[in-house]
Amino acid sequence: MSKTIIISNRLPLQLKIRDNTIETTPSVGGLATGMKSVHSQNNSIWIGWSGLTEEEFNLDLKNQVNTALAKHQCVGVPLTQDDIEGFYYGFSNNTLWPLFHYFMEYTEFEKSTWNTYQQVNQKFADIVLENLDDGDTVWVHDYQLLLLPEMIRKKKPNVSIGFFLHIPFPSYEVFRTIPCREELLKGMLGADLLGFHTYDYERHFLSSVQRILGYEISFNNIHLDNRIIKVDSFPMGIDYNKFHDAAEAHNNQEKKDQTEIQREIDKHLNKSKNQAKLILSIDRLDYTKGIANRLRAFEYFLDKYPQFKGKARLVMLAVPSRSDVPQYQRLKNEIDQLVGRINGKFAEVSWTPIWYFYRSMPFENLIDLYTSSEVALLTPIRDGMNLVAKEYIASKVDKKGVLILSEMTGASNEMSEALIINPNNFEEIADTLKFALEMPEEEQIKRNNALQKRLQRYNVEKWANDFMEALEGIKNDTKEYSLKKVSDSIQSAMTSDFNKAKNKVLFIDYDGTLVQFEKLPENAKPTQRVFDLLDALHEQPNTKVIIITGRDRDTIQKWFGHKEYTLITEHGAWLKEGKKDWELMERVDNKWFGSILPILESFTDRTPGSLVEEKRYSLAWHFRNVDPDLGKRRANSLKTTIQQLIANHNLEILEGDKVLEIKVSGVSKGKSASKMLLGTSYDFIFAIGDDWTDEHLFRELPESTYTIKVGLKKTVAKYYVQDIDQVHELLNTFV
Ligand code: GDG
């Protein structure tokens, strides 16, 4: 039975060595909960680091660890202290984390940590490959493992791989600054499905792929020679019922069952005769979370609205994180000082403005804080999603409470009923805080009602299932492709038909089919291999070889004029048969050039990298070398500009691959190919091409034709081959 393999940096377990024995406790984090539905029964394993380095246990303990992990269907990746230094603290947290959160001034790039990152990703890959069987599905998580999908794909090309990034993907302008940008993108592109929290991260990723690797993107698909990769957004949810039910139980608990913290909170609230208001802030202590900004904004708020002194209190839980890293130690000092200064500045005998906890709290205390706070103030400078925002709302059983949320969090995209603020705008934060503290209850209930419904529906289980379903969908598409792929049996049937036939004709496109695209069209000359192949085909008895192309007559004459193949150029305007002269296949003229050419030239002047190609009877505007977004935009505006002129002159626009071609309407590869069939009865017809102009050919040739698409784009052709090498191999079987 095929299985699912989940891979993340850390396993969903906490391991502790006590008296030379191992204790395991399952993690309660969002990811572990979300994956419950995926990581269940006997058909899944989870691979990751156990949290203990190789130096921390001897052989006996190691066996114990492996047995303990196996009980939870987990497999450990053995990592040394040096691995953790270079891979985790080094490249993951000193390079990728700040870069992906737009903290370029904190981003360090060191060759040695990059090397360790690659080695550790390979260690993960080795363990995955040891456990991977054909037909399995793999789901890789997060920025520590960006190279892993490609490493797995290299060894197991047909396995289905998903990747989800839990942090933002930065804009191309930021991402491009990292030296190993190509390796990182290629690593990720080993996956079949790439998931992000928001559409913006998805957009940034696609733009980087397009600009850095030059791969073709259509909608949210990336086209490689032999695969299509899908990119989509899957906003991560929470275990809604867990928080809602815990809050409900908390609200109904008896005094004697209350936690110490809850008693303190109640004491404080009772003393102030319900005048006191708690404002909650919870995060890992990380510079991305905007904790210092939040404190300064709170100070500004108390200065601006002194009526809240003695009443409003910020309850701030900062959970220790990466505390060995100097960056984080400096941040901790800054926050300690800020809290001290603000408390010193405003404190009264019975009130201090900030309650500050620097520690991690058990789940029930988290619920105490969520349920007791009137307002949650979450102001990250950047945050992939921010689950705390969602947990706070889920815990509001009576639907009372106001969420103030930074627009720089992924969660703000889905939580528009919250009060959304810019974390750098203290004025706005102060005013919003006042607005929140004074918000009428009906309005709070109305907003939270809508928020809760959404969180309940799109919970973490739904998130995980949606991702897995999308991955499954791709598997099915791939299956469909593999059915249409020219397999050995199709190949031998085709060759045998070819050999049996008495009259054979082959329509062969040129660019993208016989030769690779080049930056400049004039550089894509036929290679010796192409000549050898075409000559050999041409020498076959009763075989007509037709090169059918959108290229201009003069270029094709220069390259193939000395040969005796049949040549059709400019999408079917010109024909040359054997030794004969060129003749026009259609009644066409170029009197219209005068009105269109100046417009194309003016677009070329304004669009760096573009060029105009003047053919005899058509004009092509190429934008292959233009910045991809600009190219698309200019192509659209060019179409709009010439629309009217085109209608007046009976012309049409052909949209090729990074080219717009204007030509007399009614001329097409399909029409000219059909004409070539008149007068001879062919019992073997073959057509091959990569572009959508070749679709005319596939559509208009008789049903019995062997129609073959090069590449994986949508097609009406019966079969496909992956790339130019395969075209050559295929044609070679006929000779
Ligand atoms: C990364 C991305 C993205 C916090 N303090 C305590 C505690 N927590 C729990 C919260 C929440 C989780 O930790 C924090 O999740 P966030 O999403 O807010 O932030 P990151 O840790 O930075 O997570 C983030 C996330 O991945 C998921 O994709 O949303 O953007 O940075 O669940 O409840 N739990 C307990 N005690 C605490 O003191 N028990």
Side-chain angles (χ1 to χ4, degrees), residues 657-718:
D657 189 357
K658 310 278 181 340
V659 55
L660 284 187
E661 185 154 355
I662 298 104
K663 63 175 193 55
V664 176
S665 63
V667 178
S668 82
K669 284 185 177 179
K671 200 167 164 198
S672 56
S674 302
K675 272 192 192 164
M676 298 305 293
L677 300 183
L678 299 175
T680 313
S681 145
Y682 289 103
D683 49 359
F684 181 89
I685 310 173
F686 172 96
I688 189 163
D690 69 307
D691 201 331
W692 78 266
T693 58
D694 300 308
E695 296 293 312
H696 289 298
L697 196 61
F698 302 150
R699 216 171 269 128
E700 290 182 39
L701 286 170
E703 182 50 38
S704 59
T705 307
Y706 278 108
T707 48
I708 293 159
K709 178 85 169 179
V710 186
L712 295 180
K713 283 187 209 143
K714 274 232 164 309
T715 181
V716 293
K718 285 186 193 141

Side-chain angles (χ1 to χ4, degrees), residues 28-31 97 101 142-143 164-168 197 201 236-238 243 282-284 286 288-289 317-320 322 359-364 366 370 382-389 391 409-410 463:
V28 287
L31 186 60
W97 178 268
H101 286 88
D142 227 359
Y143 64 104
F164 189 85
L165 186 70
H166 289 261
I167 63 174
H197 281 306
Y201 308 156
M236 188 174 176
I238 55 162
F243 286 88
I282 297 187
D283 335 69
R284 271 186 313 101
D286 196 293
T288 60
K289 303 284 183 181
L317 172 61
V319 181
R322 304 170 199 170
R359 63 178 110 125
S360 165
M361 286 194 181
F363 179 69
E364 59 266 31
L366 213 59
Y370 283 152
R382 288 282 162 187
D383 207 341
M385 174 50 73
N386 195 298
L387 299 178
V388 171
E391 294 167 3
T409 61
W463 166 80

Side-chain angles (χ1 to χ4, degrees), residues 15 78 86 146 189 214 235 250 278 310 326 329 405 415 422 476 542 560 607 649:
L15 290 190
L146 297 178
L189 291 178
H250 169 278
L278 295 187
Q329 288 162 353
L405 183 60
M415 303 184 83
N422 174 350
N476 292 338
N542 308 320
F560 293 104
T607 316
H649 289 286

